[in-house]
């Protein structure tokens, strides 16, 4: 399984176009997005951006900066991973959108118990977990003063259920790879700034890699 991972597009269509110009996206079995498709946009903005996605297996969550119209649109298109999962080959892909509560009151924020309730709907069988907000207390969730702003619920469920891989975005300055137990963690960094990631899963194991558009 060869997976391309993007996050935090924030409406920057040119970055998505550059990605598809710089790599052969068809070499991947799956394209996953960890949210913030728009910057405080709704259905129309999301559609404009996601119409650029080639015809290939693609799933996404919404981010905290995506309005409810984005959540509804990706759900209607059958590509939303929010509280849902899909079977892809021998693996499942599932997730949760939005973020935990912040001081900024962005459009799609949840209490930690809501995040845990949503994540608890997933099977976690051979799972690639896709969330917008990263797990708390990891290399993926640190802002400028090294303060962690991730989700305790995302961390707790990863520690308990041990998905194969857990990918997230949200914290632009914490582009990183980490682990919790056997679970590989990745925040590929914001696509709007030219970053993406690759996850490869095969008989030899799991490889997670941070990439930058050439």
């Amino acid at each position: 399984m060869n997976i391309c991972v993007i996050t935090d597009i924030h409406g920057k269509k040119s970055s998505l176009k550059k990605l598809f110009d710089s790599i052969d996206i068809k070499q991947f079995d799956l394209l996953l997005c960890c949210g913030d498709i728009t910057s405080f946009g709704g259905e129309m903005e999301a559609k404009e951006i996601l119409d650029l996605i080639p015809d290939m297996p693609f799933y996404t969550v919404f981010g905290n900066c995506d309005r409810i119209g984005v959540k509804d649109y990706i759900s209607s298109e059958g590509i939303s991973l929010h509280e849902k999962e899909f079977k892809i080959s021998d693996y499942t892909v599932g997730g949760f959108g939005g973020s935990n509560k912040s001081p900024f009151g962005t459009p799609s924020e949840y209490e930690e118990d809501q995040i845990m309730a949503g994540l608890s709907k997933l099977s976690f069988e051979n799972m690639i977990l896709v969330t917008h907000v990263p797990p708390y207390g990891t290399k993926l969730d640190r802002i400028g003063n090294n303060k962690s702003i991730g989700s305790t619920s995302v961390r707790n469920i990863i520690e308990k259920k041990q998905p194969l891989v857990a990918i997230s975005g949200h914290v632009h300055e914490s582009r990183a790879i980490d682990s919790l137990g056997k679970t590989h963690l990745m925040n590929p960094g914001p696509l709007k700034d030219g970053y993406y990631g690759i996850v490869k899963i095969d008989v030899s194991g799991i490889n997670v890699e941070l990439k930058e558009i050439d």
Side-chain angles (χ1 to χ4, degrees):
M1 176 74 75
N2 198 15
I3 306 167
C4 182
V5 180
I6 60 174
T7 188
D8 295 273
I9 305 167
H10 286 284
K12 196 169 178 182
K13 290 181 278 189
S14 60
S15 292
L16 202 53
K17 291 172 183 173
K18 282 180 187 174
L19 175 68
F20 298 142
D21 286 343
S22 68
I23 64 172
D24 175 14
I25 194 65
K26 293 295 187 175
Q27 71 179 293
F28 295 97
D29 304 300
L30 182 61
L31 175 64
L32 295 174
C33 177
C34 302
D36 276 357
I37 298 162
T38 73
S39 276
F40 304 99
E43 178 179 347
M44 285 183 62
E45 291 88 347
K47 185 178 188 305
E48 282 183 14
I49 294 158
L50 298 182
D51 277 350
L52 299 173
I53 303 287
D55 183 18
M56 67 180 296
F58 168 71
Y59 297 100
T60 185
V61 292
F62 54 91
N64 64 300
C65 292
D66 293 316
R67 296 190 181 278
I68 193 166
V70 178
K71 176 186 177 185
D72 293 344
Y73 175 68
I74 62 173
S75 180
S76 69
E77 290 293 300
I79 56 173
S80 174
L81 293 171
H82 181 66
E83 300 185 346
K84 295 177 185 173
E85 64 183 55
F86 296 88
K87 185 89 170 170
I88 309 284
S89 184
D90 295 327
Y91 307 98
T92 53
V93 183
F96 192 90
S99 77
N100 50 348
K101 292 291 183 178
S102 79
F104 308 109
T106 52
S108 297
E109 296 183 356
Y110 295 89
E111 300 289 351
E112 287 289 354
D113 60 346
Q114 293 175 297
I115 297 173
M116 180 57 78
L119 289 170
S120 296
K121 296 177 181 179
L122 307 177
S123 72
F124 287 92
E125 294 175 7
N126 270 357
M127 176 157 282
I128 298 134
L129 179 66
V130 182
T131 60
H132 181 61
V133 65
Y136 178 83
T138 61
K139 294 176 183 176
L140 282 58
D141 81 321
R142 295 171 186 167
I143 55 174
N145 58 2
N146 216 32
K147 180 184 178 184
S148 288
I149 60 166
S151 166
T152 54
S153 295
V154 172
R155 181 184 180 114
N156 289 344
I157 203 129
I158 290 171
E159 288 179 326
K160 181 180 178 183
K161 297 291 190 177
Q162 292 284 275
L164 300 173
V165 181
I167 58 174
S168 56
H170 187 49
V171 187
H172 295 189
E173 56 266 63
S174 274
R175 177 175 178 251
I177 290 168
D178 204 350
S179 61
L180 282 172
K182 295 180 180 178
T183 301
H184 297 255
L185 309 176
M186 179 172 66
N187 173 353
L191 183 68
K192 75 177 185 68
D193 295 332
Y195 300 118
Y196 67 105
I198 293 175
V199 176
K200 292 182 179 177
I201 308 174
D202 57 29
V203 290
S204 63
I206 299 170
N207 186 58
V208 179
E209 191 176 353
L210 300 174
K211 302 290 281 186
E212 188 169 356
I213 297 172
D214 296 330

